[in-house]
Amino acid sequence: MKNTTIKNIYLIHHSHTDIGYTERQDKIIRYHYDFIRQAIDILDEIHVNGKKEWEGFVWQCENYWQVENFYEMADETYREKFEYYVSTGEIGLSGNYLNMTELIGKRALYNALDKMQKYGEETGHPITAGMSADINGFAWGYVDALYDHGVRYFYSALHPHHGMFPLYKKVLPFYWEGPSGNRVLFWNGEHYHFGNELFLAPEAGNSYILRDEFHKRFQEHELMRTSAEDTAKIEWKILTLRLERYLDNLEAEGYKYNLVPLLVSGQITDNAPPSADVARRVQELNNYYEGKLHFEMVTLEQFFERVKESCKDIPIISGDWTDWWADGVGSTPSEVKMFREAARKYNICCKLDPENKFGDADLIGKSAKEQMLYAEHTWGYSSSVSEPWETLVSSLELKKGAYAVNANTHIAKNLDKILAANGEVSISHQKSHNYLVINPHDHAISTKAYLYIEFWEYLDGICYDYTIPIEVIDTQLGEVIPSQVKVIARATQIEIQVDLKAHERRYLKIRRKEITPYTILNHAHIGAEGVEDIRQSDRRVDEDEIETDDLILRFNDEKGLYSIIDKKDSTELLRDDVPDGAFAGVYEITDMKRSACEIRRQMGRNRKSKATRRYRSKLINRKIKEIGELYTAIDLAYSLKGTGMYNVYLKIYNHEPKIEAMVRVHKESHWEPENLYVALPFTAGKDTITYCDKTGCVIRPGIDQLPGSCQEFYLIQNAILWKEGKRNLAVITKDAPLITLGDLEAHSIVLCDGQDKEKNQSPVYSWPMNNYWETNFKVNLGGFYEFAYTFMLKDNMTPEEMFATCEEENEGLIACYVE
């Protein structure tokens, strides 16, 4: 080893939490409870039974979820011991709930972090440092979430498999500045098992990141095969050689700090137990490198104390740390849709009942926890792609999905309690046709609500069916509310358009409408065959063009919806440089010329290859389905490879610049790597800037990001916004949160430099489905799906105001039966 400025090696001993990757989820819960108990037992052996060879042992809890489970399962004796060893600095707490994806919403995230912060305060040890392992990014708003909960330091040990660390370099500190200007000191560290690759844990080494002369021998299982003595000698040889090379390399790269942190697990696996032998190894290393290097096991808090003492001129960097691993949500589109509905209901409950006067705080907490567990980064068992038929694979898929179902069930029950307290009644024999509509939001809103007449109901003594004319009345003002009727599976749905002030309530009633009878209408509009195809006004409403107060939509056989004109200034709102019409489908599949895993592994940070075959949907029919007071509906039927059906049902609103698109898909099942995209080729004009909202923040893709971060795709909360001047064009992606920018071709990866306006202005695609990952994505995408999108056009709003409007439109109004 050369002379080095590095003098201190700090080991952070933890267990990486991967809920369902190595075992069933409920077993993982018990594992992590038991790992903390094992760490306590090791410390007891040191302090009670004088186990000298284990002295210096320190255990770091990777997240608060581990601690929460420990308290639920441990007896009082172990709880007291845990708190004692936390106070002595031999067990560390972490200010992070779990290793999350960006799927989680701000309110549910804050609920989890509130518990973490409260625990620290109640036990007299405020939690100031956190960590993550494996995951490849965080929404920019995560900084503010951490800061708001007392966390000032954070250690990231990401896994650059199909991903990459930001800042173009790892093993360095930086202050991450959030959207609000708050700063958290981050350490951009090595892979979370790197300490194991250096054999800092006896009998727990590996060769994964390091590709030296030992790597192939590890892969072929040639090492550690003779005797315990031989194993110990080989491990020590590899340890010293790899460690010294590593430190020399840091020095050669201009590393300027006198300390290096390394994470280490007790075994070379996720969800690993603690190992007292790590402390023994530290003692051996201190003897071997005496006077040259000092090794020490530390907690996160202790490590960051050293960083603050030793590291000067730490840079301050702001922007989104876009997650390379966000795409897992595309492998479970139905469960994600269920999750997204739960998140919307959760937000509505928080708005309707912020102090839990009418709902149940326990249900709120349960839903938030289940949302956190679903949005946690593990998307299935480790052999989900290689062995999709395995019982454990399907079992863990169902249990993962149960988190989304349970989150939805808990919050739905809570919303029902709130509405009951506000006057909602259940159906009853000869029920009234009175309804309450509530705006739960902090701003005025003009949007739709749905009222229902069940198929078995009588209205004013008449057995109702949709042919009987009705009207909706505001019972307080006596006004008639604009409405449109549609028959659905078990009811007649009456869609109304209503304007409500912030938190306003309106009481409505459905009644029969008197119609003046006539024998025949004598103007030219319908023939004897019953087909009504004569244009009745200057505004066209047919399969080629639909004109509203604000928009003109045009359709053709090539693209489907190929033009949307903003009538106020004749601006075209669809790009002319994209081969796809609005909401048209694009399907990709890559032949498996190698194994199911290997073909995926070799794609790297692309989610496809040059061999990927791409198919674009072809319009085969279009037909007007509804014409009414509120909207016109047209059904676009496409053929698309990989699907048995790809239809787009458009509702084009007559009196506001709004379009709702329901993309309906019958997806075939394939084992090969697949992607399904929905084209969103919108523009606000030639100088359009693209924005999206992520957890706790609004960003411009390609611009408001950390240098060296991912700009291939983004996981958003509500919408994409295209803005030019006063014009704001947004598309809400209600069910499918992934978007990608660009032409979809496989390409060499360009990391974000924070100034990529070309990327920002690239075409946008929604990305509702993929089965790309080679280990733990759900490989079977087959089934029936419906994905909802809402196009909105507004003027004179800031991006933040527009996204607030999109959130409120996405969550909608509440409508319920009342007496």
Side-chain angles (χ1 to χ4, degrees):
M1 183 175 67
K2 301 173 184 177
N3 292 328
T4 176
T5 58
I6 301 168
K7 301 300 181 185
N8 298 292
I9 312 294
Y10 294 112
L11 277 60
I12 299 171
H13 187 26
H14 73 118
S15 177
H16 173 52
T17 306
D18 233 330
I19 306 174
Y21 186 75
T22 63
E23 249 289 4
R24 53 188 170 85
Q25 292 91 334
D26 31 339
K27 178 66 77 174
I28 297 298
I29 293 172
R30 185 158 195 89
Y31 276 1
H32 283 285
Y33 146 73
D34 204 56
F35 296 161
I36 293 176
R37 189 187 59 77
Q38 290 176 36
I40 292 170
D41 290 345
I42 291 169
L43 290 167
D44 279 350
E45 283 294 310
I46 297 167
H47 296 294
V48 177
N49 298 326
K51 200 84 168 178
K52 296 289 186 181
E53 62 270 34
W54 292 352
E55 284 184 353
F57 177 87
V58 174
W59 179 250
Q60 175 62 54
C61 299
E62 189 182 76
N63 50 65
Y64 179 67
W65 177 81
Q66 295 174 346
V67 175
E68 188 175 61
N69 289 325
F70 174 78
Y71 270 78
E72 289 177 0
M73 302 175 74
D75 60 26
E76 190 59 33
T77 299
Y78 268 105
R79 291 182 184 182
E80 290 176 357
K81 288 182 178 181
F82 178 80
E83 292 176 18
Y84 171 74
Y85 287 126
V86 168
S87 72
T88 64
E90 293 166 284
I91 292 180
L93 302 174
S94 174
N96 195 26
Y97 189 77
L98 276 169
N99 298 299
M100 302 301 297
T101 66
E102 298 166 320
L103 189 62
I104 196 66
K106 180 177 178 179
R107 286 186 177 88
L109 173 62
Y110 270 58
N111 182 289
L113 295 181
D114 285 347
K115 293 187 291 184
M116 174 273 296
Q117 186 178 36
K118 182 180 179 182
Y119 167 80
E121 292 170 349
E122 289 180 346
T123 56
H125 192 103
I127 302 173
T128 60
M131 68 172 289
S132 68
D134 218 8
I135 60 172
N136 268 239
F138 315 82
W140 192 11
Y142 215 79
V143 189
D144 288 337
L146 293 171
Y147 190 92
D148 289 346
H149 291 87
V151 178
R152 298 294 180 266
Y153 315 105
F154 202 91
Y155 193 111
S156 168
L158 65 75
H159 182 179
H161 186 74
H162 299 307
M164 189 54 60
F165 40 83
L167 312 182
Y168 308 104
K169 196 172 185 179
K170 58 184 175 1
V171 196
L172 54 85
F174 69 97
Y175 282 99
W176 190 12
E177 185 174 74
S180 299
N182 300 316
R183 295 173 185 172
V184 174
L185 177 57
F186 267 67
W187 188 273
N188 193 14
E190 294 282 5
H191 182 276
Y192 62 93
H193 276 153
F194 194 73
N196 294 81
E197 297 208 37
L198 298 181
F199 283 83
L200 295 173
E203 298 182 11
N206 191 26
S207 191
Y208 174 59
I209 299 290
L210 296 177
R211 304 298 175 98
D212 55 15
E213 65 267 34
F214 303 107
H215 177 76
K216 185 177 180 181
R217 298 178 68 189
F218 270 109
Q219 304 307 308
E220 295 176 356
H221 306 288
E222 293 181 2
L223 299 173
M224 289 69 161
R225 289 284 180 166
T226 54
S227 66
E229 293 78 9
D230 182 54
T231 294
K233 289 178 182 179
I234 294 173
E235 286 190 350
W236 187 258
K237 177 183 177 181
I238 297 174
L239 189 166
T240 54
L241 188 62
R242 282 183 167 179
L243 175 66
E244 291 174 16
R245 285 177 179 174
Y246 176 66
L247 297 179
D248 287 344
N249 184 66
L250 285 176
E251 191 85 4
E253 291 181 338
Y255 189 78
K256 60 184 181 180
Y257 306 114
N258 68 359
L259 55 79
V260 170
L262 296 168
L263 268 59
V264 61
S265 296
Q267 275 298 335
I268 187 61
T269 181
D270 297 335
N271 305 305
S275 170
D277 285 340
V278 175
R280 177 172 58 82
R281 180 75 92 203
V282 166
Q283 293 181 22
E284 294 169 350
L285 286 165
N286 279 326
N287 290 332
Y288 184 79
Y289 287 105
E290 186 175 5
K292 295 179 181 179
L293 294 173
H294 173 72
F295 296 80
E296 183 180 356
M297 298 180 74
V298 295
T299 66
L300 291 170
E301 292 177 5
Q302 292 161 356
F303 167 67
F304 278 107
E305 287 173 3
R306 273 61 157 195
V307 172
K308 290 190 69 177
E309 292 169 359
S310 304
C311 301
K312 307 301 180 185
D313 302 320
I314 298 174
I316 301 167
I317 306 174
S318 65
D320 191 63
W321 190 336
T322 309
D323 185 8
W324 282 100
W325 285 11
D327 50 342
V329 303
S331 70
T332 54
S334 293
E335 295 88 339
V336 168
K337 183 173 181 175
M338 177 70 72
F339 173 93
R340 299 271 279 185
E341 182 184 73
R344 292 192 296 272
K345 288 179 179 178
Y346 186 91
N347 289 344
I348 288 171
C349 286
C350 292
K351 293 175 179 181
L352 279 176
D353 187 27
E355 298 178 1
N356 291 319
K357 291 182 178 178
F358 308 114
D360 185 335
D362 185 55
L363 288 172
I364 284 278
K366 286 180 177 178
S367 178
K369 183 172 183 178
E370 298 284 346
Q371 288 179 59
M372 293 293 287
L373 287 167
Y374 187 74
E376 186 264 343
H377 77 297
T378 313
W379 233 256
Y381 188 59
S382 60
S383 64
S384 294
V385 172
S386 62
E387 301 174 311
W389 51 82
E390 277 290 330
T391 300
L392 194 57
V393 169
S394 57
S395 174
L396 268 59
E397 285 175 359
L398 291 170
K399 289 188 177 187
K400 173 74 172 182
Y403 292 136
V405 173
N406 292 338
N408 198 308
T409 300
H410 292 316
I411 204 62
K413 288 180 178 179
N414 191 68
L415 182 57
D416 286 344
K417 289 173 72 72
I418 294 170
L419 294 181
N422 282 272
E424 183 184 34
V425 296
S426 300
I427 57 174
S428 60
H429 179 61
Q430 294 186 339
K431 77 174 185 66
S432 66
H433 295 94
N434 297 322
Y435 304 83
L436 170 64
V437 178
I438 305 172
N439 174 11
H441 310 296
D442 293 334
H443 305 97
I445 188 170
S446 175
T447 191
K448 68 180 181 183
Y450 291 127
L451 313 179
Y452 297 94
I453 301 176
E454 310 274 355
F455 74 92
W456 45 264
E457 288 192 63
Y458 282 66
L459 179 63
D460 299 335
I462 301 295
C463 182
Y464 178 76
D465 72 70
Y466 75 98
T467 63
I468 297 174
I470 60 171
E471 60 186 1
V472 180
I473 301 296
D474 184 314
T475 59
Q476 294 166 304
L477 302 177
E479 297 176 349
V480 175
I481 305 297
S483 63
Q484 188 163 332
V485 171
K486 180 179 182 178
V487 177
I488 60 173
R490 295 182 60 81
T492 297
Q493 175 182 279
I494 301 95
E495 180 172 337
I496 62 172
Q497 178 70 27
V498 62
D499 301 331
L500 292 177
K501 299 174 184 177
H503 303 291
E504 184 182 0
R505 299 159 181 245
R506 293 182 74 175
Y507 290 89
L508 310 178
K509 183 178 182 65
I510 295 176
R511 69 185 184 191
R512 288 168 56 204
K513 183 179 180 181
E514 295 297 327
I515 298 295
T516 303
Y518 62 88
T519 301
I520 192 169
L521 298 176
N522 294 308
H523 66 279
H525 71 290
I526 190 170
E529 78 289 335
V531 177
E532 194 168 357
D533 55 4
I534 307 297
R535 191 186 304 175
Q536 297 298 302
S537 70
D538 292 337
R539 291 187 181 180
R540 291 181 62 177
V541 179
D542 56 40
E543 280 81 3
D544 296 321
E545 181 174 301
I546 297 174
E547 183 175 354
T548 72
D549 291 351
D550 304 284
L551 304 171
I552 300 173
L553 286 75
R554 296 190 176 111
F555 306 86
N556 65 18
D557 293 338
E558 180 183 357
K559 286 188 173 182
L561 176 53
Y562 74 93
S563 174
I564 303 176
I565 302 295
D566 185 348
K567 289 174 62 176
K568 68 176 179 293
D569 59 6
S570 299
T571 296
E572 175 61 66
L573 302 178
L574 290 181
R575 303 172 66 119
D576 61 5
D577 60 345
V578 177
D580 311 293
F583 308 109
V586 181
Y587 173 70
E588 295 178 340
I589 187 167
T590 306
D591 293 336
M592 291 200 309
K593 295 180 179 179
R594 293 178 291 276
S595 72
C597 294
E598 184 62 16
I599 189 68
R600 289 166 163 87
R601 185 190 67 79
Q602 292 193 356
M603 291 177 181
R605 271 138 295 283
N606 272 287
R607 270 46 181 171
K608 61 197 71 178
S609 75
K610 289 296 184 181
T612 296
R613 290 180 285 124
R614 185 172 301 105
Y615 302 88
R616 291 188 144 84
S617 58
K618 179 177 176 56
L619 189 69
I620 55 177
N621 194 19
R622 57 189 189 271
K623 185 174 180 58
I624 297 289
K625 290 290 190 177
E626 301 176 70
I627 298 177
E629 184 178 359
L630 297 185
Y631 63 84
T632 296
I634 183 170
D635 186 54
L636 308 178
Y638 295 86
S639 64
L640 179 61
K641 188 78 171 178
T643 72
M645 177 187 77
Y646 188 96
N647 281 31
V648 180
Y649 195 87
L650 296 176
K651 289 169 61 177
I652 300 111
Y653 284 82
N654 297 329
H655 308 301
E656 58 178 327
K658 184 167 84 170
I659 304 166
E660 290 187 353
M662 308 302 292
V663 177
R664 295 161 178 170
V665 182
H666 181 198
K667 178 70 184 64
E668 297 170 354
S669 176
H670 293 278
W671 197 0
E672 292 87 350
E674 300 178 281
N675 292 303
L676 180 70
Y677 301 99
V678 175
L680 304 177
F682 298 99
T683 178
K686 66 177 182 178
D687 296 319
T688 294
I689 300 173
T690 308
Y691 297 79
C692 62
D693 67 329
K694 302 183 70 179
T695 308
C697 63
V698 171
I699 72 162
R700 295 169 294 173
I703 299 172
D704 301 319
Q705 297 184 221
L706 293 184
S709 58
C710 168
Q711 57 179 4
E712 297 298 303
F713 48 85
Y714 301 83
L715 199 163
I716 64 176
Q717 286 293 307
N718 289 287
I720 315 106
L721 168 64
W722 295 266
K723 184 175 180 62
E724 186 199 56
K726 295 179 179 180
R727 182 181 288 112
N728 296 278
L729 190 166
V731 171
I732 297 168
T733 59
K734 196 180 192 77
D735 307 311
L738 280 173
I739 62 168
T740 185
L741 279 67
D743 62 8
L744 302 182
E745 297 287 341
H747 55 271
S748 58
I749 300 298
V750 177
L751 299 175
C752 184
D753 63 4
Q755 302 176 43
D756 198 337
K757 293 183 179 179
E758 182 179 352
K759 171 63 73 171
N760 180 266
Q761 296 176 348
S762 297
V764 177
Y765 290 82
S766 174
W767 189 17
M769 290 190 200
N770 76 83
N771 63 358
Y772 154 76
W773 203 270
E774 72 261 35
T775 54
N776 62 324
F777 278 19
K778 183 177 180 181
V779 76
N780 175 23
L781 298 174
F784 287 91
Y785 303 93
E786 183 178 67
F787 305 107
Y789 302 87
T790 302
F791 165 106
M792 297 171 61
L793 199 59
K794 301 281 186 181
D795 285 341
N796 300 315
M797 283 187 170
T798 66
E800 290 73 20
E801 290 169 339
M802 189 65 186
F803 280 111
T805 299
C806 289
E807 178 185 301
E808 291 162 359
E809 177 71 25
N810 195 15
E811 293 167 4
L813 302 175
I814 298 295
C816 59
Y817 300 132
V818 292
E819 291 289 356

